[in-house]
Amino acid sequence: MPALSLTTPAAAQDVLPEIVVSATATETPREQVASSVTVITADDLARYQQRTAADALSMVPGLNVVRTGGPGGSTAIFMRGTNSNHVKVLIDGIDAGDPSKPNGAYDFANLLTSDIERIEVLRGPQSGLYGSDAIGGVISVVTKRGSGPAKLTGSIEGGSFGTFNQTARAAGSQDNFDYAFNVAHYRTTSLPVTPLNLLAPGQQRNNDNYDNLTYSTRLGVRASDELAFNYVARYTDAHKGFTGDDSSNWPGPSFPEKLQSTTASRDFLTRTEAVWSPLGNFSSTFGFSYANQWNRTINPNPDFWVSSFSLGIGPPSSYRGERTKFDWKGVLDAGYGQKLVVGAERQDDKIGTDSSGAYDLFGNYQQLWKRAGTGNSAGFVELQSEFTKNFFLVSNVRYDDNDSFGGHSTWRIAPVFIVPTLDTKLKATYGTGFKAPTLMQLYVDGPYVVANPNLQPETSKGYDIGFEQPLFSNRVSFGSTYFNNQIENLIENTTLSGKWTYDNVGLAKTSGVESFVSWQATETLRFRVDHTYTHAIDQTTDQKLRRRPDNKVTMAAIWNPVERATVSATVLYTSSWVDYDRFGTTLLDAPSFTTVNLAASYEVDPHVTVFGRIDNLFDKKYEVPVGFLQPGFGAFAGVRVTN
C-alpha cells in the first residue's frame, strides 16, 4: 500500500492510515497518492519502543540516518541519496529547519517521540508544494491531540548507559475544547562514543552524556460550526557532553580532545492557526508560525589559536536562528472529482552568531557577533483530479520570490492508475526542486571562510515509477519503485585568496530502487521486509557520495502470543559506504553492519503496562559516521500507568 506503516496487520484497512496529508497538503485517500510515503504511527513507536525520531526513521526505506554516537549526537538524514539539507522537516506544520546552521538542515538529535501521533516520510522532489529544501523529500511530524474524558498518563524507564527516562501527559476534551500537555525527560550518563584506537597514547576516554527535557502542548477550540482555532508549542532544553577533536597541530596528526566539551540547545517552536469553513465545499486556514533555535558550545581544551603565536582556550560559540512565517491555504471541492488547493506565504529568517571572528593587527583573535537576514514570498496552486474510480492525478506549481536571489518556479505531476480486478497500483511522479543558499553561506565571514552573496539556489529534477500489488485480501502485498534525481548548482567549498568560500559548482545524480514485501502469516504474527538500493554519484569527480550506502535492508516482525502481550523484532542491515575518517584526512570504505533489536510489552490491567527492550542484541561494534561508535548491547525496562 502507498502509505505504509512499519507493521503489516491482518486487515490492512483496520490499522494502516486511511489517509495521508503530506503528499497533497490535504487529507487524501492513500490509494490516490502516487508518491512513496511511509507512515509511522504512535502505535508503531510504542510497539518498537523507539524513544527518538532518529531511531524510528532509521527503519524507513530510502533513508540513511547518520548520528555522531548515541542519543543527542548531531543527527543528519540522507533521503534517496540527496544531501542532508535537501529534506524539508515540518513539526505540526512548522518549518523546523535551522537557519543558523551552516547548511540550514534540521538536526534530529533532540526530537523525542512520546507526544508524536504520526510521522509521514514523503520521498521525491516536493518543492512544487513546499518550496526550498524539499529536493529529497519531506518529513512531517504531527503530535497528539486530546480527546474524550481527561486522562493522565505517566511512564518511567531505566537501563544501560545510565539511561533514566520519564514522561507525563494530561489530555482530553470537553464540549468545544480539546487539550494536551506533555513533558518528556530523556537521560543517558555514560555512553562510549570515541573509539579507543583514536586516542593519543595514555589518553583516557570520556564517555558522552545527554540530558533532554521537552515540554509540548496542543490546544483546539471550535468557536462555531464554521470557525476553529488551533495552537501548538514545543520547547526543548537539551545538554550534551561530548569529545571533540584537537586539530591545532594540523597538518600533523589529530587526536580526540582530552577534556569534554559541552553543548546546550534550546529550541522553541509554536504555531497558531484559524480554520474558517464558510461553505460546505470550501475551507481556509490562516496560520502564523515562529521558531527560535539556539545552541552554545563550550570547549575547555587549550587548543585554539587565541593569537597568531599561541594556543589557549577558545571563547564559547553560539548560534541563534529565528524564523517567522505567515501562511494561508484554501481548499475548494469543485465537484466532479476535482479539488483545488491554493496557498500563499511569507517567511522571514534571521540569524546571529559569535562563532566567527578575525585576527587584529597584533595577531590576537577577536570574536565578532554577526547578524544576517532574508525573506521569501511564495504562492502555489494544486489540482487533485479523480477522473474515474481507477485513475487519479495530482499536479501543482509554485513560485518563490526570495529577497536574496530573486524568483524561482517549481512544479510536480503525479498520476495513479489502479488496474481493475487485479487491484495493481501503477504510479509515477515527476517534479522539480530547489534549495536556497543559507544565511551563513551568503553573509557570514570567518577567519578562514569568505561568504558569497552571489550564490544561486541548488536545483533538481527527479522522477520515480513503480507498482504495488495486494494479494489474498491484503494478507500479502509487495511493490517496487525506481527513482532518479539529477541535482545541479550544488553549493560546495572552493578556495579564494587562500581562504574557503562557497560556489555553485557541484553536480550529482542519485538513482535506485525501493522494494517491500509484507505478510500476515497468522492472526497473531506478521512480517515486513524493505530493501533500498541507492547509487549516488558526484558527477564532477565520478566518485560515490559520502554516507550513502548502496544497500539497506530492514525487517520487522510482530507477534501477539496472547491478547495483552506484544513482542516485536527489528533487523537493520546497512552495506558499506564511502566516508572520511573522523579527522577528515583519509577517504575510506566504512564496513557494513547488522543490528537486531527486540521489544516486548504486557498490559497487566487497563491502567498498568510493563515493557522492556534490548537494543543491539548481539553487541555489534560499528561506527556511524566513521570515528563515532554507536551504542552496543543495551537492556531497558519500565512501566506506564494511566488513570
Side-chain angles (χ1 to χ4, degrees), residues 539-552:
Q539 292 190 293
T540 60
T541 64
D542 203 30
Q543 300 294 315
K544 288 184 177 181
L545 295 176
R546 295 189 301 122
R547 301 178 179 175
R548 280 79 155 179
D550 289 342
N551 292 282
K552 172 186 173 181

Side-chain angles (χ1 to χ4, degrees), residues 405 435-437 441-442 452-459 488-494 501-507 540:
F405 58 80
K435 169 70 176 76
Q441 293 167 340
L442 287 168
N452 182 358
N454 298 315
L455 287 172
Q456 294 299 304
E458 302 173 341
T459 60
E488 300 178 343
N489 287 334
L490 281 167
I491 298 172
E492 296 184 353
N493 287 326
T494 60
T501 188
Y502 308 97
D503 206 352
N504 296 100
V505 295
L507 181 67
T540 60

Side-chain angles (χ1 to χ4, degrees), residues 59-361:
M59 294 293 294
V60 175
L63 270 60
N64 188 38
V65 179
V66 178
R67 179 172 61 187
T68 55
S74 178
T75 306
I77 298 208
F78 299 86
M79 187 180 293
R80 285 188 169 179
T82 62
N83 287 340
S84 60
N85 61 346
H86 291 162
V87 179
K88 172 80 79 174
V89 179
L90 303 172
I91 301 177
D92 286 326
I94 305 165
D95 186 344
D98 190 347
S100 73
K101 295 288 179 62
N103 70 354
Y106 177 70
D107 187 348
F108 280 87
N110 299 321
L111 183 57
L112 306 182
T113 61
S114 62
D115 66 336
I116 291 178
E117 177 64 31
R118 61 194 277 132
I119 303 174
E120 293 191 9
V121 182
L122 173 65
R123 299 185 288 281
Q126 308 294 332
S127 290
L129 194 59
Y130 292 101
S132 177
D133 303 352
I135 286 178
V138 175
I139 297 176
S140 177
V141 178
V142 179
T143 59
K144 299 175 182 177
R145 295 194 85 113
S147 63
K151 179 181 289 188
L152 302 177
T153 305
S155 70
I156 188 169
E157 176 185 58
S160 302
F161 315 117
T163 297
F164 187 51
N165 305 329
Q166 312 93 48
T167 68
R169 173 178 171 83
S173 63
Q174 185 172 2
D175 299 327
N176 62 344
F177 176 64
D178 63 83
Y179 58 92
F181 303 96
N182 308 277
V183 180
H185 180 222
Y186 186 109
R187 187 181 73 178
T188 60
T189 59
S190 183
L191 187 68
V193 169
T194 305
L196 293 175
N197 65 299
L198 297 184
L199 298 173
Q203 183 178 349
Q204 297 296 312
R205 176 168 62 191
N206 296 313
N207 288 348
D208 282 21
N209 59 75
Y210 178 60
D211 195 282
N212 179 320
L213 191 57
T214 295
Y215 307 86
S216 64
T217 187
R218 185 175 185 128
L219 307 174
V221 176
R222 177 162 288 280
S224 68
D225 291 339
E226 295 81 25
L227 184 62
F229 298 94
N230 299 305
Y231 174 77
V232 294
R234 186 180 197 87
Y235 177 75
T236 298
D237 185 4
H239 300 263
K240 174 76 172 178
F242 67 97
T243 300
D245 301 324
D246 179 4
S247 302
S248 59
N249 63 336
W250 185 87
S254 299
F255 296 101
E257 292 172 326
K258 295 180 180 180
L259 303 177
Q260 191 172 72
S261 298
T262 57
T263 291
S265 301
R266 298 189 184 100
D267 296 344
F268 176 64
L269 307 176
T270 186
R271 177 173 171 83
T272 302
E273 64 180 25
V275 182
W276 183 46
S277 305
L279 303 172
N281 63 341
F282 179 75
S283 67
S284 281
T285 301
F286 303 87
F288 169 72
S289 301
Y290 175 74
N292 187 311
Q293 296 160 307
W294 173 91
N295 71 80
R296 184 177 181 86
T297 300
I298 298 175
N299 181 355
N301 294 273
D303 53 18
F304 183 84
W305 289 98
V306 295
S307 75
S308 301
F309 312 101
S310 64
L311 293 170
I313 297 175
S317 60
S318 61
Y319 298 83
R320 181 186 298 277
E322 286 186 277
R323 172 168 288 158
T324 58
K325 184 176 181 180
F326 294 89
D327 59 82
W328 169 78
K329 181 182 69 177
V331 181
L332 173 66
D333 188 345
Y336 304 99
Q338 308 299 308
K339 182 182 290 187
L340 184 67
V341 183
V342 295
E345 61 188 50
R346 172 65 189 185
Q347 177 175 300
D348 288 281
D349 294 346
K350 297 179 182 179
I351 66 169
T353 179
D354 58 7
S355 62
S356 63
Y359 292 95
D360 62 20
L361 295 176

Side-chain angles (χ1 to χ4, degrees), residues 160-161 570-572 593-599 613-623 629-636:
S160 302
F161 315 117
T570 60
V571 180
L572 170 62
F593 63 88
T594 301
T595 58
V596 179
N597 298 336
L598 303 176
R613 74 182 194 275
I614 295 176
D615 291 344
N616 199 351
L617 175 64
F618 299 108
D619 197 29
K620 175 66 177 179
K621 303 295 190 236
Y622 65 107
E623 301 175 13
L629 287 170
Q630 293 298 304
F633 176 91
F636 312 87

Side-chain angles (χ1 to χ4, degrees), residues 388-542:
T388 71
K389 295 301 180 182
N390 299 91
F391 180 46
F392 311 93
L393 179 67
V394 174
S395 54
N396 55 47
V397 62
R398 175 178 171 122
Y399 181 76
D400 287 83
D401 186 11
N402 190 280
D403 295 351
S404 296
F405 58 80
H408 195 86
S409 298
T410 48
W411 57 275
R412 179 173 171 271
I413 186 168
V416 170
F417 180 69
I418 300 175
V419 179
T421 307
L422 296 176
D423 288 333
T424 306
K425 178 178 178 178
L426 305 177
K427 59 176 187 171
T429 72
Y430 187 95
T432 61
F434 81 101
K435 169 70 176 76
T438 69
L439 287 170
M440 293 286 289
Q441 293 167 340
L442 287 168
Y443 303 121
V444 180
D445 294 332
Y448 308 109
V449 178
V450 178
N452 182 358
N454 298 315
L455 287 172
Q456 294 299 304
E458 302 173 341
T459 60
S460 76
K461 299 176 181 178
Y463 67 90
D464 58 31
I465 184 169
F467 77 95
E468 294 163 5
Q469 179 66 63
L471 297 172
F472 311 117
S473 299
N474 283 331
R475 296 184 70 88
V476 175
S477 60
F478 61 93
S480 188
T481 300
Y482 171 80
F483 63 86
N484 188 295
N485 294 298
Q486 185 79 34
I487 310 170
E488 300 178 343
N489 287 334
L490 281 167
I491 298 172
E492 296 184 353
N493 287 326
T494 60
T495 57
L496 177 68
S497 301
K499 292 187 176 183
W500 291 106
T501 188
Y502 308 97
D503 206 352
N504 296 100
V505 295
L507 181 67
K509 181 179 180 180
T510 71
S511 59
V513 179
E514 298 167 355
S515 304
F516 77 93
V517 177
S518 62
W519 176 38
Q520 180 75 36
T522 69
E523 295 305 315
T524 60
L525 182 63
R526 47 197 184 268
F527 301 92
R528 179 182 174 90
V529 179
D530 286 278
H531 172 253
T532 303
Y533 169 74
T534 305
H535 184 62
I537 293 294
D538 182 337
Q539 292 190 293
T540 60
T541 64
D542 203 30

